[in-house]
């Protein structure tokens, strides 16, 4: 009855949006020996990390007699490190606990009388190998699979500290980094980026966000393929970047700089901790510069005959400059309560200079070549405030947060002298969120919460005379509530289910029209896992997600790139609904790991670009909804330690795509196989040296009107660690055996064909220097009741 009352109160918060969450705090059950009436003991306890104090999930526990000769039983702990088993009554027991990456630990326990109880907590020490004063956790894998995600441990990758976050993403399983810096996961570009579990105004723009994060500041990258209801339903896949945090008392600083032939970066961070106060700040600058060239051919098709209308040749330079400054202040009001305040300031400028020449065969029209220039500047300010309180019961926690941000952007394009377009926009975003989690039992956790997101986007375009040619005002409200539950069931089964409701209200005001829409969407998810013997497991999951069109896709204003290339959005564009089912298997043995997953994804109203040839011979690109898109594929990841200091990783993603445009898009269809292959080898050499070679190949991707660009990449990195972990020197060489990369894309319909060949000069070399001031080995964070289950980890900011 008490459990039903708690569930009723939690579920009512979903529709109440802000009603008080009441709960009854039960007395915490001690971890203990408790004799029963059948001459047996029930043994229960907790396995933790000896350094961090955090639970060690799925540890193996064996119980022997006092001489450690006769086995009395054994079991496996759950995701929180808890275990329980029944053994024959005896006066003394020998308990042995072990887990991958930790040293085996033995304890001798004496049974107590029936009236007394004893709390049992076993601490495991991580395996550590020391090489010339450099500590390497060699036994821990770089990539591991958890219940709902794949985690890439950048802090365990000994050559992963140079460059920016984009460079690390190329090493993450399931993730593809496009030549322009964009991301895809399992072939889908609807990816949402979180930093320490939090959104920002750049969360839906992975390219820009990744250019502002130094690789050295990243602890882990989590690819969440089966997000729980706690997360926003936005995005087909969530990538959570967890940054490093130094909790050592005193002042610590890091200096990071790199210079290269295609880009340079500089970064510094400062942190100070004194008693209950913690302060952190960072300053990052990133400069990317790369020449490019390309050839474009446009053909007209009539009665099966193909005639070339246009040939265009272009070459130029692409420059990106990004500066990011951040500061954070944390105050621990008590051991269970804290307040966090953060601020970020970002400045970005992108310039493109190119010369284009046209060969027009469509008639008497003469298209003059010339110099084409565009410059885009953006300033972003965002703030966040978070309050969290942990109750007496483990995992019982309340978190309330607010995030706000403003982005101002101006883009000036000069397609032909003296014409010019000036586009100015402002994005204002506010997010209010409250989350509460409550453990009903040790094996049953309930989470619930509410969230309100408010966005206001203004956009106007003017010509060279200052005359306003178009305006757009876009307002969006998203009100959400959720309930999520996870059970650790008997026989090593785990079950997580959840439901999230999101109400979306959109209003689009144009100069001559207005469009409004309101819709309520339900997003269920379910995940089942079975833990097998010998560190193996199998899981099944299903989830429904959404991808709403951005303001760029909704703006119908025509933007001119050059005399023969234009693009425009549509205010009637509908959101994508993404159904994803997944089945996965993983195993570990003797330093090697193997992961295999199969997935099926169906995207209703998939958002895609669509090209049309106008009567004036201009190629117009619009954003449209497809009738449907279906992807079915396999993902493979394997890690093998050939020798003690040589590790090799291989990954393969293969999927079949089928796209249908429907009657509105000429009933076009297309289908085909896509694949991506990657490998990485790391050698640990004497005297703190390390060498890493990684690379990959991505096939051309199927699109409704054709295929888009196959490409390859590879890099050699050499790193030398400084004494006492004070820093490192790294030299990286990108694509040394090819001067430029070729990216070929083509589109074809019943009336025209379009082929584009782009060349990017991606051969590069860069030198990175990292130096740390202060304590080299930061103090590890103590165990916290706010630590969630392993299936839904939440890192502190």
């Amino acid at each position: 009855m008490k459990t039903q009352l708690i569930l009723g109160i939690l579920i009512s918060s979903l529709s109440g949006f802000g009603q008080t969450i009441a709960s009854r705090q039960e007395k915490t059950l001690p971890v203990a020996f408790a004799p029963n009436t059948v001459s047996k003991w029930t043994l229960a306890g907790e396995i933790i990390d000896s350094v961090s104090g955090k639970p060690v999930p799925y540890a193996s526990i064996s119980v022997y007699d006092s001489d450690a000769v006769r086995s009395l039983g054994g079991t496996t702990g759950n995701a929180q490190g808890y275990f329980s088993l029944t053994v024959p009554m005896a006066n003394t027991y020998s308990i042995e606990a072990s887990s991958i990456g930790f040293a085996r630990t033995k304890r001798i326990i004496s049974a107590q009388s029936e009236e007394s109880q004893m709390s049992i907590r076993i601490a495991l020490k991580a395996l550590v190998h020391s090489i010339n004063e450099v500590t390497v956790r060699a036994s821990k894998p770089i990539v591991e699979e958890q219940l709902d995600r794949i985690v890439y441990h950048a802090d365990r990758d000994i050559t992963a500290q140079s460059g920016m976050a984009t460079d690390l993403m190329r090493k993450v399983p399931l993730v593809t980094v496009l030549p322009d810096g964009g991301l895809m996961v399992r072939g889908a570009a609807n990816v949402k980026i979180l930093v320490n579990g939090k959104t920002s105004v750049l969360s839906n723009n992975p390219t820009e966000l990744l250019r502002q994060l130094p690789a050295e500041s990243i602890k882990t990258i989590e690819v969440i393929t089966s997000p729980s209801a706690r997360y926003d339903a936005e995005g087909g896949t969530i990538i959570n970047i967890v940054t490093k945090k130094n909790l050592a008392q005193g002042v610590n600083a890091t200096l990071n700089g790199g210079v290269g032939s295609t880009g340079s970066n500089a970064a510094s961070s400062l942190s100070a901790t004194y008693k209950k106060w913690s302060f952190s700040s960072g300053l990052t600058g990133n400069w990317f510069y790369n020449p490019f060239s390309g050839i474009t051919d446009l053909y007209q098709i009539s009665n099966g005959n193909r005639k070339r209308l246009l040939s265009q040749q272009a070459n130029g330079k692409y420059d990106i400059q990004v500066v990011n400054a951040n500061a954070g202040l944390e105050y621990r009001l008590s051991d269970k309560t804290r307040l966090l305040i953060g601020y970020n300031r970002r400045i970005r400028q992108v310039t493109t200079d190119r010369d284009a020449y046209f060969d027009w065969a469509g008639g008497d029209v003469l298209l003059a070549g010339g110099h084409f220039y565009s410059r885009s500047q953006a300033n972003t300010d965002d703030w966040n405030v978070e309050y969290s309180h942990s109750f007496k019961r483990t995992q019982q926690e309340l978190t309330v947060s607010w995030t706000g941000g403003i982005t101002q952007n101006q883009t000036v394009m000069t397609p032909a002298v003296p014409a010019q377009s000036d586009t100015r926009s402002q994005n204002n975003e506010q997010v209010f969120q409250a989350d509460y989690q409550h453990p009903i039992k040790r094996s049953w956790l309930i989470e619930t919460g509410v969230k309100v997101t408010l966005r206001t986007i203004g956009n106007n375009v003017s010509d060279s005379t200052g005359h306003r040619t178009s305006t757009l005002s876009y307002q969006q409200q998203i009100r959400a509530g959720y309930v999520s539950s996870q059970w650790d069931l008997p026989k090593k089964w785990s079950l997580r289910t959840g439901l999230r409701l999101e109400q979306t209200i959109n209003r689009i005001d144009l100069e001559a029209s207005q469009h409004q829409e309101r819709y309520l969407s339900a997003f269920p998810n379910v995940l089942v896992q079975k833990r097998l013997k010998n560190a193996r497991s199998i899981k099944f999951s299903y989830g429904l997600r959404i991808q709403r069109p951005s303001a760029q896709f909704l703006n119908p204003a025509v933007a001119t790139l050059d005399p023969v290339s234009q693009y425009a959005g549509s205010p009637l564009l509908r959101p994508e609904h993404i159904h994803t089912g997944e089945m996965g298997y993983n195993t570990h043995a003797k330093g090697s790991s193997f992961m295999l997953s199969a997935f099926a994804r169906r995207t209703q109203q998939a958002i895609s670009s669509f090209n049309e040839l106008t009567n004036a011979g201009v190629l117009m690109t619009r954003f449209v909804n497809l009738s449907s898109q279906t992807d079915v594929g396999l993902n493979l990841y394997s890690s093998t330690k050939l020798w003690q200091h040589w590790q090799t990783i291989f990954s393969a993603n293969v999927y079949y795509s089928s796209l249908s445009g429907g009657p509105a898009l000429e009933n076009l269809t297309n289908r085909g196989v896509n694949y991506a292959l990657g490998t990485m080898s790391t050698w640990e050499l004497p005297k703190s040296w390390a060498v890493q070679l990684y690379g990959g190949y991505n096939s051309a991707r199927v699109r409704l009107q054709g295929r888009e660009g196959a490409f390859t990449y590879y890099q050699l990195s050499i790193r030398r660690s400084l004494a006492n972990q004070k820093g490192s020197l790294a030299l990286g060489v990108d694509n040394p055996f090819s001067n430029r990369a070729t990216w070929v894309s083509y589109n074809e319909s019943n009336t025209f064909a379009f082929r584009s060949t782009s060349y990017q000069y991606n051969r590069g070399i860069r030198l990175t220097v990292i130096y740390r001031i202060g304590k080299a080995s930061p103090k590890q964070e103590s165990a916290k009741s706010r630590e969630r289950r392993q299936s839904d980890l939440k890192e502190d900011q």
Side-chain angles (χ1 to χ4, degrees), residues 353-467:
D353 281 287
R354 66 188 180 110
D355 295 308
Y357 307 93
F358 303 94
D359 182 9
W360 174 255
D364 298 331
V365 179
L366 178 63
L367 294 177
H371 181 74
F372 299 89
Y373 172 83
S374 68
R375 174 177 52 83
S376 177
Q377 290 182 311
N379 299 324
T380 301
D381 296 272
D382 60 67
W383 311 263
N384 68 283
V385 179
E386 179 181 289
Y387 169 86
S388 63
H389 176 73
S390 300
F391 299 89
K392 292 182 178 180
R393 298 192 63 180
T394 301
Q395 296 183 310
Q396 184 183 6
E397 182 191 39
L398 173 67
T399 303
V400 180
S401 64
W402 166 77
T403 302
I406 299 176
T407 297
Q408 296 177 321
N409 186 82
Q410 180 184 19
T411 301
V412 178
M413 302 179 66
T414 308
V417 179
Q420 175 178 294
S421 67
D422 188 338
T423 303
R424 303 191 182 194
S425 63
Q426 178 170 301
N427 180 5
N428 189 335
E429 183 170 315
Q430 308 286 327
V431 179
F432 304 88
Q433 185 171 356
D435 300 287
Y436 176 73
Q437 61 183 37
H438 188 95
I440 306 299
K441 299 178 180 178
R442 284 182 181 169
S443 59
W444 186 3
L445 179 68
I446 295 288
E447 296 176 290
T448 186
V450 295
K451 184 174 184 179
V452 177
T453 302
L454 307 175
R455 294 189 181 101
T456 302
I457 300 174
N459 182 285
N460 68 81
V461 183
S462 59
D463 59 20
S464 56
T465 64
H467 175 69

Side-chain angles (χ1 to χ4, degrees), residues 14 233 481 498-503 519-525 542-546 548 577-579:
L14 182 62
L499 178 66
R500 187 179 184 93
L501 297 179
E502 292 190 352
Q503 183 187 49
Y519 52 89
L520 178 66
S521 304
F523 302 98
N525 66 83
Y542 164 78
L544 173 61
R545 310 281 296 167
I546 192 173
R548 300 175 180 89
H577 285 84
I578 309 153
H579 301 261

Side-chain angles (χ1 to χ4, degrees), residues 622-643:
R622 298 187 293 115
F623 298 102
V624 299
N625 287 118
L626 306 185
S627 175
S628 66
Q629 177 175 341
T630 301
D631 303 288
V632 180
L634 291 173
N635 308 121
L636 170 66
Y637 171 88
S638 67
S639 174
T640 303
K641 204 145 196 178
L642 302 177
W643 285 281

